[in-house]
Amino acid sequence: MTQRIDKSLIAEQNAKLEGFLQEDYAALGNKLARDNINIEEITAKAAAFQIAVPSWGTGTGGTRFARFPGKSEPRNIFEKLEDCAVINDLSQCTERVSPHFPWDKVDDFTELKQTSDALGLKWDSINSNTFQDQPNQEHSFKYGSLSNTSEASRELAIQHNLDCIEWGKILGSKTLTVWVGDGSNHPGQQHFQSAFERYLNSMKKIYAGLPNDWEMHIEHKMFEPAFYSTVIQDWGSNILAAMELGDQAKSLVDLGHHAPNVNIEMIVSRLIQFKKLGGFHFNDSKYGDDDLDSGSLHPYQQFLIFNELVDAEYRNQEGFKPNYMLDQSHNVTDPIESLMNSAASVQRSYVSALLVDRSKLTEYQTNNDALMASNTLKNAFNIDVTPILAMARLQKGGAIDPIATYRKADYRTNIAAKRPSSGVSGSGIV
């Protein structure tokens, strides 16, 4: 096991900042008290908030043209777990890891579970991969997987998903996430209905293999690698498939998988209303599925999404228990730093949404007072909740300033000798 962040270093760095944090926290507490908001209650909810880290996100991402490996990046799932433990040591809101198979496949899953237990980590949703061929694969996914015209290719994809369920049982997961790149690149290449029917028939076989206490999360994506048509291209096809499969099938929302200017928060509301919201892949985008750091471009949109989520939480909406996960590609930053930044950004949106005066908002909505309804949301969004996030980390043994502490630890240099570059992406991404 490689060196993690020394707890004494975290305490040393926190000691330099704790006095300032206490002042800022007290000032914010007084401000919130004027609106009858108890800062301790909000901090407790912030401390309870968790978002999963993607195993593949700990490696350097890439583009269609090149990939530039980072220093001491993980080469396998065991080293990815070590990096995930560092992220959680400092952020204290990322105790769950979401693996991707076969990228993270091992010979002994019991050993993998023991390793995660030793690091204080839990397993989130299992992600299957049928969007690329593996070495020596007998039947290709070039023309699709679960919707392929070849029955042999479909059966191979089905079996891989069933295998993922079995591996997930050992790890203690309760969710299977299915995303396929199936679709077409030319008009007339594919019969739309037949392709969707083949996909549904394949998914039904996978669904039949789900344990009773599991969920299947269906992920949609507007384009790429299929640029003309995609079998599960939007939330409409997604929820239709989920409704066709059954109660254990739900829709997963990736923030980068929508057409430009789509009202994602309304989609979230619709999925909640019909008990079909499975979870999220949080990231940000400028042009398409960019997988940028969460909240780096559209923090208000992220807040509006959480406004709907907190509203459902506030109203004890039946069937509401979504999974939250990051899904990012880090081409020019240290993945550990970006994942800590993004986890805090998503946590910030959650905490800000907790500050919305829901009684006033309902009153303004009922009276069609558009301006004041909008201002009610903006007032909550504009409050700087940084002291709450920092205090939640401090109380749980994390770092007041995670990135500064991480850089002080010089983690990458300390493990460099134990992680010589393999020249291959441990994340599975180009």
Side-chain angles (χ1 to χ4, degrees):
M1 198 66 65
T2 57
Q3 179 179 345
R4 290 165 57 190
I5 307 300
D6 194 315
K7 292 188 180 300
S8 64
L9 175 65
I10 297 176
E12 176 188 309
Q13 294 301 303
N14 284 348
K16 299 175 182 178
L17 301 172
E18 187 171 354
F20 299 121
L21 172 59
Q22 294 291 356
E23 291 178 9
D24 294 343
Y25 188 75
L28 178 57
N30 291 334
K31 174 181 174 59
L32 295 178
R34 293 198 293 269
D35 293 322
N36 297 314
I37 298 175
N38 186 320
I39 192 171
E40 296 294 343
E41 293 179 1
I42 300 297
T43 303
K45 289 187 175 183
F49 181 84
Q50 290 289 325
I51 183 166
V53 168
S55 64
W56 61 96
T58 58
T60 305
T63 69
R64 292 194 185 124
F65 304 103
R67 177 180 167 276
F68 302 93
K71 180 180 180 180
S72 306
E73 69 175 30
R75 301 161 297 175
N76 54 57
I77 182 58
F78 293 98
E79 292 179 352
K80 294 175 191 176
L81 285 179
E82 292 165 1
D83 286 2
C84 290
V86 168
I87 294 168
N88 192 52
D89 284 345
L90 296 170
S91 71
Q92 288 297 316
C93 66
T94 57
E95 66 180 17
R96 293 180 288 117
V97 179
S98 187
H100 216 304
F101 298 127
W103 295 342
D104 296 326
K105 186 176 181 297
V106 295
D107 294 330
D108 188 346
F109 279 93
T110 299
E111 179 189 9
L112 184 60
K113 178 65 164 60
Q114 291 171 345
T115 300
S116 62
D117 288 346
L119 291 169
L121 298 173
K122 302 175 183 177
W123 294 96
D124 203 74
S125 184
I126 304 298
N127 298 266
S128 61
N129 175 351
T130 61
F131 50 82
Q132 64 181 162
D133 288 347
Q134 303 303 320
N136 304 315
Q137 183 171 311
E138 186 176 1
H139 305 287
S140 179
F141 297 145
K142 180 177 180 178
Y143 297 110
S145 56
L146 297 177
S147 70
N148 200 306
T149 54
S150 165
E151 182 179 0
S153 293
R154 294 199 303 274
E155 289 299 326
L156 188 65
I158 292 167
Q159 186 58 52
H160 171 63
N161 279 277
L162 293 174
D163 289 342
C164 285
I165 293 172
E166 294 305 312
W167 299 331
K169 288 179 184 178
I170 300 172
L171 296 177
S173 177
K174 298 289 185 181
T175 312
L176 173 70
T177 295
V178 182
W179 175 76
V180 295
D182 296 21
S184 64
N185 283 288
H186 297 276
Q189 175 187 338
Q190 191 175 75
H191 189 278
F192 296 145
Q193 290 187 34
S194 296
F196 194 39
E197 189 62 37
R198 289 193 295 270
Y199 169 85
L200 289 173
N201 287 336
S202 297
M203 287 288 275
K204 287 175 182 177
K205 294 181 181 180
I206 301 169
Y207 186 85
L210 282 179
N212 292 333
D213 58 346
W214 274 53
E215 287 185 354
M216 173 190 285
H217 291 175
I218 303 171
E219 183 177 0
H220 60 269
K221 187 174 183 180
M222 184 179 64
F223 68 95
E224 194 185 41
F227 287 90
Y228 173 66
S229 70
T230 304
V231 173
I232 303 291
Q233 88 284 4
D234 61 15
W235 77 282
S237 295
N238 192 328
I239 195 172
L240 286 172
M243 293 174 74
E244 179 76 9
L245 291 173
D247 292 342
Q248 289 174 256
K250 296 186 177 181
S251 301
L252 183 141
V253 177
D254 185 304
L255 270 60
H257 289 191
H258 306 268
N261 304 317
V262 164
N263 189 329
I264 299 176
E265 55 267 32
M266 190 174 73
I267 294 172
V268 170
S269 176
R270 293 286 188 267
L271 293 173
I272 292 172
Q273 185 171 357
F274 289 91
K275 304 174 188 176
K276 284 297 182 182
L277 180 64
F280 287 87
H281 283 179
F282 282 101
N283 49 52
D284 216 331
S285 65
K286 179 68 173 178
Y287 299 105
D289 185 28
D290 305 329
D291 279 348
L292 303 177
D293 290 11
S294 298
S296 59
L297 288 176
H298 305 292
Y300 191 55
Q301 179 189 60
Q302 187 171 273
F303 162 78
L304 292 175
I305 290 169
F306 266 99
N307 177 59
E308 298 302 324
L309 297 171
V310 169
D311 177 70
E313 182 181 297
Y314 177 77
R315 294 187 295 110
N316 294 315
Q317 191 101 19
E318 185 180 355
F320 178 76
K321 194 178 180 181
N323 285 10
Y324 299 141
M325 194 189 91
L326 299 171
D327 182 15
Q328 304 174 179
S329 179
H330 313 107
N331 304 332
V332 295
T333 61
D334 182 325
I336 289 178
E337 293 187 354
S338 274
L339 288 167
M340 288 193 296
N341 234 22
S342 293
S345 171
V346 177
Q347 187 183 32
R348 179 184 298 275
S349 294
Y350 170 65
V351 171
S352 295
L354 291 172
L355 302 183
V356 173
D357 189 326
R358 306 220 163 257
S359 296
K360 286 186 177 179
L361 181 60
T362 299
E363 178 184 344
Y364 295 138
Q365 290 171 338
T366 302
N367 294 326
N368 297 306
D369 192 336
L371 181 70
M372 290 307 297
S374 178
N375 281 353
T376 299
L377 293 180
K378 288 182 178 178
N379 287 341
F381 173 74
N382 287 328
I383 295 174
D384 183 4
V385 298
T386 300
I388 293 176
L389 303 181
M391 184 60 74
R393 290 192 294 269
L394 177 65
Q395 291 177 354
K396 295 181 70 176
I400 293 175
D401 188 336
I403 291 180
T405 304
Y406 170 73
R407 292 190 173 190
K408 184 69 174 179
D410 203 11
Y411 173 72
R412 295 284 182 195
T413 299
N414 290 337
I415 63 172
K418 298 178 181 179
R419 289 193 192 174
S421 175
S422 64
V424 178
S425 173
S427 66
I429 299 172
V430 172

